[in-house]
C-alpha cells in the first residue's frame, strides 16, 4: 500500500473511532473538532521540521518520521545525495581537463565576446607572456603585433597567422582562432620556429643548388654546340647522341630557371606597378614560332590594366599559353581572352586539347606534378609551370580556376579582383 493511502486510512480510522466514542458519550462534534485540531497541529509540526532540515542544507541523514513524511524525507535526501555525487564527478572531470590543458605544449587562451581573456594555460603564459592577473583584459592590448590585431579583428579565422612570440622574438608562433559556443573563441598558438628554420633551409638549398648548376650547364651547353658544329655527320650514332644531349641540357636549364624563379617568388618583395596587360598579352601571343602563333586567337574585350609585377605576370601567362599549345593538337585553336565582369578582371586560356582528368585537376599546380598520359609524341616539361602560375597569381591577389574535360580541352582562368585594376597613363 502506498504511503499516502496508509495515511488516508489512518485518518479515516481515527475519525471513525472518535465518531463512535462521541456518538456513545454524546460528544460527537467536540471530539471530531479536537481530532481535526490535533491532526492539523501534527502536520504543522512536521512541515516545520521538514523546512528546518531543508534550510540546513538537507545534508545530514533525515530525522526519524513516519508515513508520508518519511517518504518525503527519503526522496529529497536521495536527490541531494545523487546531486552531490554528480557534482563530485563533474569537478573531478574539470580538474582533469584543467590539468591536461595546462600540460598542453601549445598555448591555449579562451577569449570572450570582446576579445577579453577568460582563461589561459601554462604554455600561453610562457610563450605569449600572459599572466594570471591578465584575466578580463583584452588580448589585443597585451599582444600588440599589427598582424595579430588585424587577424583577431578580421573575423576570418580560416588561415592561421604567423607572429613572433612577445617574450622571445626568435620564436615564431602560428596563431589560430577557433570560434565555439556563444561568442567564445579558443586561441591556439603553436611554436613553429623549427618548421620555419627547416623551410628556410629547404628554400636556401634549392636556391643554392639551382644557382650552382647554372654555370656548369652553360659550359656544357657551349661545348655541346661546338661539338655539334664540328660534327660532319659521318657517325649517325654520334649525331643522335649530340641531339639527345642537347635536348636534355635544355630541359635541365629550364628546370633550373623554373626553380630559381619559384625561389624568387617565395622570397622577393612584391612589386606593384601598373602593367599594361593588353600590350603584354599581344607580345606573348606573337613571341612563339610562326606555326604556334597562327593557332592563337586573342580577344581583348577590355583595355583595363592591373597593378603588379610585369616579369612575374609574363611568366605566368607564357606558361599558361605554352601549356595550351603543348597539350593540344598541332592544328587546333587556342583562345586567349582578356575581359572584365562585375567581380573583377579575367584572363582565360582555352584549348581543344587532351584535357585533364578530374582527379588530376587539383594536383596539377603541385611542384613536379605531371599527368601520366600516353601520347604519340613526347611532350617535354618540368612540372613546375603551373606551380609558378599559382604563386604569381597568389602574389597578385588573384585566383586560378581550371575547368577541363578529358579529350575535349581545358580552360585556365585567372581572376584578378577589382582593387587591382589601374590606369597606366
Ligand atoms: P609541365 O612543364 O609538365 O607542362 P606544368 O606545371 O605546366 O608542367 O603542368 C603540369 C601538368 O598539368 C602537365 O604535365 C600536364 O599534364 C597538365 N597540363 C597543364 N596544362 C594543360 C593543358 N592545357 N591541357 C592538358 N593538360 C595540361
Amino acid at each position: 500500500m502506498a504511503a499516502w493511502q496508509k495515511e488516508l486510512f489512518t485518518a479515516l480510522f481515527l475519525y471513525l473511532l472518535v465518531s463512535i466514542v462521541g456518538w456513545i458519550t454524546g460528544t460527537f462534534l467536540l471530539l471530531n473538532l479536537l481530532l481535526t485540531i490535533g491532526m492539523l497541529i501534527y502536520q504543522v509540526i512536521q512541515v516545520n521540521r521538514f523546512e528546518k532540515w531543508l534550510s540546513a542544507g538537507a545534508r545530514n541523514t533525515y530525522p526519524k518520521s513516519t508515513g508520508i513524511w518519511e517518504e518525503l524525507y527519503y526522496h529529497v535526501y536521495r536527490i541531494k545525495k545523487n546531486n552531490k555525487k554528480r557534482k563530485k564527478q563533474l569537478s573531478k572531470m574539470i580538474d582533469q581537463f584543467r590539468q591536461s590543458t595546462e600540460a598542453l605544449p601549445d598555448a591555449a587562451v579562451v577569449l570572450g565576446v570582446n576579445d577579453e581573456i577568460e582563461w589561459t594555460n601554462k604554455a600561453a603564459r610562457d610563450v605569449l607572456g600572459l599572466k594570471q592577473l591578465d584575466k578580463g583584459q583584452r588580448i589585443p592590448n597585451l599582444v600588440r603585433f599589427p598582424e595579430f590585431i588585424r587577424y583577431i579583428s578580421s573575423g576570418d579565422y580560416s588561415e592561421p597567422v604567423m607572429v613572433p612570440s612577445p617574450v622571445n622574438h626568435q620564436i615564431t608562433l602560428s596563431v589560430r582562432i577557433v570560434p565555439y559556443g556563444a561568442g567564445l573563441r579558443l586561441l591556439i598558438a603553436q611554436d613553429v620556429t623549427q618548421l620555419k628554420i627547416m623551410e628556410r633551409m629547404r628554400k636556401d638549398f634549392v636556391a643554392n643548388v639551382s644557382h650552382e648548376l647554372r654555370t656548369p650547364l652553360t659550359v656544357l651547353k657551349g661545348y655541346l654546340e661546338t661539338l655539334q658544329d664540328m660534327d660532319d655527320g659521318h657517325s649517325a650514332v654520334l649525331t643522335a647522341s649530340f641531339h639527345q644531349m642537347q635536348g636534355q641540357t635544355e630541359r635541365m636549364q629550364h628546370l633550373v630557371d623554373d626553380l630559381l624563379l619559384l625561389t624568387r617568388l617565395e622570397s622577393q618583395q612584391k612589386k606593384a606597378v601598373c602593367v599594361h596587360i593588353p600590350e603584354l598579352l599581344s607580345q606573348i601571343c606573337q613571341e612563339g614560332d610562326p606555326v604556334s602563333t597562327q593557332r592563337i586567337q586573342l580577344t581583348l574585350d577590355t583595355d583595363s590594366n592591373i597593378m603588379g609585377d610585369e616579369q612575374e605576370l609574363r611568366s605566368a601567362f607564357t606558361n599558361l599559353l605554352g601549356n595550351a599549345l603543348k597539350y593540344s593538337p598541332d592544328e587546333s585553336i587556342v583562345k586567349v581572352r582578356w575581359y572584365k565582369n562585375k567581380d573583377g578582371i579575367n584572363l582565360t586560356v582555352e584549348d581543344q586539347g587532351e584535357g585533364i582528368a578530374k582527379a588530376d585537376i587539383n594536383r596539377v599546380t603541385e611542384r613536379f606534378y605531371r599527368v601520366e598520359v600516353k601520347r604519340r609524341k613526347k611532350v617535354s616539361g618540368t612540372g613546375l609551370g603551373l606551380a609558378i602560375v599559382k604563386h604569381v597569381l597568389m602574389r597578385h591577389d588573384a585566383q586560378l580556376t581550371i575547368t577541363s574535360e578529358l579529350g575535349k580541352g581545358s580552360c585556365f582562368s585567372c581572376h584578378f579582383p577589382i582593387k587591382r585594376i589601374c590606369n597606366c597613363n
Side-chain angles (χ1 to χ4, degrees):
M1 201 190 285
W4 68 273
Q5 286 168 326
K6 255 195 219 166
E7 203 83 3
L8 187 70
F9 278 124
T10 315
L12 285 176
F13 175 73
L14 280 175
Y15 273 107
L16 188 71
L17 197 72
V18 163
S19 300
I20 293 169
V21 174
W23 186 63
I24 294 167
T25 55
T27 51
F28 180 84
L29 268 179
L30 181 72
L31 281 185
N32 269 306
L33 188 71
L34 280 175
L35 177 62
T36 310
I37 293 172
M39 279 171 76
L40 252 174
I41 291 171
Y42 171 74
Q43 293 302 340
V44 168
I45 290 170
Q46 289 300 330
V47 169
N48 186 38
R49 211 154 68 117
F50 188 62
E51 192 275 332
K52 265 194 187 142
W53 180 70
L54 271 185
S55 56
R59 253 178 262 127
N60 309 323
T61 46
Y62 50 90
K64 198 152 177 52
S65 357
T66 52
I68 191 90
W69 285 106
E70 186 175 15
E71 291 278 306
L72 274 175
Y73 275 116
Y74 172 68
H75 286 309
V76 173
Y77 178 73
R78 216 186 49 188
I79 292 169
K80 270 299 252 187
K81 211 171 160 186
N82 282 348
N83 275 352
K84 208 169 148 187
K85 210 165 129 191
R86 228 172 286 146
K87 223 165 139 184
K88 227 176 173 173
Q89 279 173 345
L90 214 70
S91 67
K92 199 173 152 193
M93 258 169 68
I94 292 174
D95 273 353
Q96 278 174 350
F97 173 74
R98 283 232 169 99
Q99 277 170 14
S100 56
T101 43
E102 277 292 300
L104 269 181
D106 295 343
V109 183
V110 173
L111 297 175
V113 189
N114 298 313
D115 304 334
E116 71 277 14
I117 298 170
E118 300 221 336
W119 173 86
T120 52
N121 70 349
K122 186 175 175 300
R125 297 191 288 278
D126 291 349
V127 95
L128 290 170
L130 302 173
K131 297 182 201 82
Q132 297 272 23
L133 286 172
D134 291 333
K135 203 172 157 190
Q137 295 256 31
R138 291 188 67 243
I139 199 159
N141 296 341
L142 303 167
V143 181
R144 300 187 60 86
F145 299 108
E147 54 271 52
F148 175 74
I149 295 173
R150 234 176 286 130
Y151 177 69
I152 202 163
S153 55
S154 73
D156 175 13
Y157 308 130
S158 48
E159 293 288 325
V161 66
M162 300 290 169
V163 286
S165 156
V167 282
N168 181 356
H169 285 216
Q170 308 288 332
I171 295 176
T172 308
L173 298 174
S174 162
V175 178
R176 172 158 230 154
I177 290 179
V178 189
Y180 74 98
L184 291 177
R185 280 161 301 161
L186 179 67
L187 180 148
I188 299 166
Q190 193 183 13
D191 183 347
V192 289
T193 319
Q194 215 48 37
L195 271 177
K196 274 250 154 197
I197 292 173
M198 277 164 69
E199 178 81 3
R200 161 98 32 91
M201 275 164 65
R202 179 190 66 82
K203 281 182 193 166
D204 287 352
F205 176 75
V206 174
N208 289 339
V209 168
S210 318
H211 197 77
E212 291 302 322
L213 280 174
R214 258 189 153 179
T215 321
L217 262 176
T218 319
V219 175
L220 261 176
K221 219 177 149 211
Y223 278 122
L224 250 177
E225 273 167 19
T226 317
L227 285 171
Q228 271 181 315
D229 286 346
M230 285 161 60
D231 181 23
D232 48 15
H234 278 321
S235 162
V237 178
L238 213 61
T239 312
S241 308
F242 285 149
H243 188 69
Q244 274 249 329
M245 280 160 84
Q246 188 210 12
Q248 291 302 323
T249 345
E250 259 170 26
R251 193 175 118 71
M252 204 142 154
Q253 202 153 30
H254 280 139
L255 199 73
V256 168
D257 288 346
D258 281 355
L259 277 174
L260 278 173
L261 179 58
L262 264 173
T263 311
R264 269 206 307 277
L265 289 174
E266 281 176 338
S267 53
Q268 246 178 26
Q269 283 276 336
K270 290 186 216 168
K271 259 194 251 164
V273 290
C274 192
V275 184
H276 204 293
I277 301 291
E279 206 172 279
L280 179 68
L281 287 173
S282 306
Q283 276 175 18
I284 292 172
C285 290
Q286 281 161 16
E287 263 167 12
D289 60 277
V291 184
S292 299
T293 45
Q294 267 179 7
R295 292 171 53 199
I296 304 170
Q297 262 181 19
L298 173 65
T299 314
L300 298 169
D301 283 340
T302 172
D303 55 3
S304 302
N305 305 307
I306 53 171
M307 290 295 284
D309 184 316
E310 184 170 341
Q311 266 319 101
E312 290 182 14
L313 290 170
R314 178 184 284 274
S315 352
F317 298 166
T318 311
N319 268 313
L320 287 180
L321 188 61
N323 280 350
L325 292 166
K326 255 194 323 190
Y327 299 108
S328 55
D330 286 345
E331 315 74 37
S332 64
I333 297 292
V334 170
K335 291 180 187 162
V336 180
R337 187 173 166 219
W338 180 239
Y339 69 97
K340 199 172 165 182
N341 60 10
K342 67 174 174 28
D343 300 323
I345 193 155
N346 308 278
L347 171 77
T348 53
V349 180
E350 197 180 338
D351 64 55
Q352 300 155 358
E354 62 186 44
I356 307 167
K358 254 202 180 110
D360 290 315
I361 289 187
N362 289 333
R363 301 206 55 195
V364 287
T365 51
E366 285 173 21
R367 282 171 199 208
F368 297 112
Y369 191 82
R370 303 198 74 209
V371 184
E372 292 289 331
V373 181
K374 283 206 176 89
R375 304 183 181 99
R376 263 186 292 123
K377 62 175 182 168
K378 201 169 174 296
V379 179
S380 70
T382 59
L384 291 172
L386 290 179
I388 291 173
V389 173
K390 195 174 145 193
H391 242 87
V392 170
L393 293 187
M394 231 163 64
R395 282 163 68 87
H396 288 79
D397 309 314
Q399 272 180 347
L400 177 71
T401 333
I402 309 170
T403 46
S404 186
E405 208 177 316
L406 269 181
K408 293 212 167 149
S410 315
C411 181
F412 287 76
S413 316
C414 311
H415 171 77
F416 294 88
I418 302 258
K419 65 173 184 191
R420 280 272 165 183
I421 298 177
C422 63
N423 194 348
C424 286
N425 306 321

